[in-house]
Each structure stands twice: as structure tokens, then as C-alpha cells.
Amino acid sequence: DLSMNQGVAQSNGLLVTETETFTVTGTTDPFVTVDVARDGDGMFDDGMTTADANGLVSVDVTLLHDATNVGVNALRVRASAGPEETVTVHYALGTVTRFESSQGNIDVELFDTDAPGTVANFKNYSARYDNSIIHRSVSSFVIQGGGFTFDSGSNPQVESVPTDAPIQNEFAIASNSNVRGTLSMAQLGGDINSGTSEWFFNFVDNTFLDNVPHTVFGRVIGTGMSVVDAIAGLPQFNLNGV
């Protein structure tokens, strides 16, 4: 899981917090009014304070996480004596986990509430994902991992990730569809309750997978999709015969 320092962590191009109330601090001229716009309505009415005699500012803002912003809060802060500044904060309702890859980090907010069994299953496998690889990459579709690890030592080997019993499908189209940027469970063809260790990132809208269905249990946050796209663009090699 992503480590939070005092409730906030740096992610791909933004800050991440699991706390609804976010405190903006800074300095400006003494005694000027500082106000914040959060919800995109053009009104600076989501937080207000007055700088103290030293120009120090601290203002609390209540963050949103709804179907429209999916947790992304672009806070616009202005002072009567200075220019407007923006800080982008992702308010995560679920666990935030980090995929570390050769192409960069991918941070994902997991859907603990919508797919609790699938998230618990993913967390249970987390230690087994060390040195795992993206073993499937299909143009304009998905990249898939969680099935194999690679040992690059003196005797390089690709080995299967040890699996537990399959889990029950938890797909909920009303909440989460297989669109670009989502993390979803892989399964054996025709068996929706066959998911074990493997997962995939949708890097295009694959809503037809909702008809199968494949359980969506997370969403990439920040600029993490640039890393997914970079992985999808790497050279591919067919190792079926190995």
C-alpha cells in the first residue's frame, strides 16, 4: 500500500490523501483574505481564512469523491494580494496501492467497498507479485500481469505465481465499468468465478467486457496511465514455447 506521511502522499502528478479534510498552508501578505475554489463552479467559496500578522495561512477544505470527479480535487487558491495557484489532490476512499515497474510507478485506488472480496484477494497475493512481469500485452486492449515472475539470476527462469482457490465474481456495472484506466480481474474463458492471481489494466474503453463480466476493482490515479501506455508500447516477444 502507498505510504501516507501525515495522511498525505506524493503520487503521479498529484497529492493523495485518505482524509476528507485537507489543509492548505502557505504564506502571503499579512492580514489578506485567502479563499479556495474546489468544485469547479467558479466560486471561491469552499474555504476562506485571513493571513496572520506574519502572512501565514492555514485553511481547511472538505474534499469530494463522487461519480463526476472520482476523487480528483483541483483546489484553486487565491489571495487578495497575489496570483491564483492550484494544487491537485486525490481523495481516496479505498486503499491506494503502488505498482513499481521498469517504466515508472502506477498508483491505483482499490474499490474496497464495491469489490471487497476481489480487493482482499489482490492484497493476499501482493507478496507473491515481487518480480512479476506483464506477460500479456494486446494492442488497443489490455496489459495483463500477476501470473508469472521472472528470475534474472545466473539461470534465468519464468515461473508461475502460486495460486489459491478461485474467487467469486463481484462485477457491478452500476458502479464500475471496464473503461480506460481501470484495473480488472482476469479469468478463464466462460467461467466468471475463476479469477485467482491475474489482473489487467484496460488502456482503452473495453465496455464489452462488462457483458462477460470481468470484475473491476481499481482505478489508476494521477498520471499513472502514461506508465501503462509506456508498458503497452514496449517490444513484445512470444514465449509460448518456453
Side-chain angles (χ1 to χ4, degrees), residues 10 26 53 57 93 124 143 160 183 194 201 203 213 226:
Q10 289 280 350
V57 175
L93 298 180
N124 182 53
I143 58 171
S160 296
L183 176 66
S194 61
F201 287 104
F203 65 89
S226 63

Side-chain angles (χ1 to χ4, degrees), residues 63 76 141 158 168 171 175 196:
L63 302 178
R76 298 165 58 198
F141 184 36
V158 174
Q168 292 294 304
F171 178 77
S175 303
T196 54

Side-chain angles (χ1 to χ4, degrees), residues 32-162:
V32 302
T33 299
V34 175
D35 46 22
V36 182
R38 174 210 59 207
D39 49 20
D41 63 359
M43 303 294 290
F44 284 79
D45 57 359
D46 299 304
M48 181 179 294
T49 192
T50 301
D52 67 14
N54 296 312
L56 299 178
V57 175
S58 179
V59 55
D60 290 341
V61 182
T62 300
L63 302 178
L64 297 178
H65 191 302
D66 54 31
T68 300
N69 80 339
V70 292
V72 180
N73 294 262
L75 306 180
R76 298 165 58 198
V77 185
R78 70 178 184 185
S80 55
E84 177 183 312
E85 296 188 22
T86 301
V87 57
T88 303
V89 184
H90 183 94
Y91 172 36
L93 298 180
T95 303
V96 179
T97 191
R98 170 165 289 175
F99 294 73
E100 296 179 346
S101 82
S102 61
Q103 302 300 300
N105 295 332
I106 306 168
D107 290 343
V108 176
E109 180 181 356
L110 302 179
F111 300 154
D112 300 62
T113 300
D114 292 345
T118 309
V119 169
N121 177 75
F122 176 81
K123 291 180 178 180
N124 182 53
Y125 278 105
S126 61
R128 283 173 267 181
Y129 291 146
D130 288 347
N131 298 316
S132 64
I133 60 174
I134 297 297
H135 66 271
R136 183 184 183 213
S137 179
V138 183
S139 178
S140 299
F141 184 36
V142 303
I143 58 171
Q144 184 168 325
F148 302 91
T149 58
F150 178 64
D151 180 356
S152 59
S154 58
N155 182 29
Q157 295 183 55
V158 174
E159 298 181 343
S160 296
V161 170

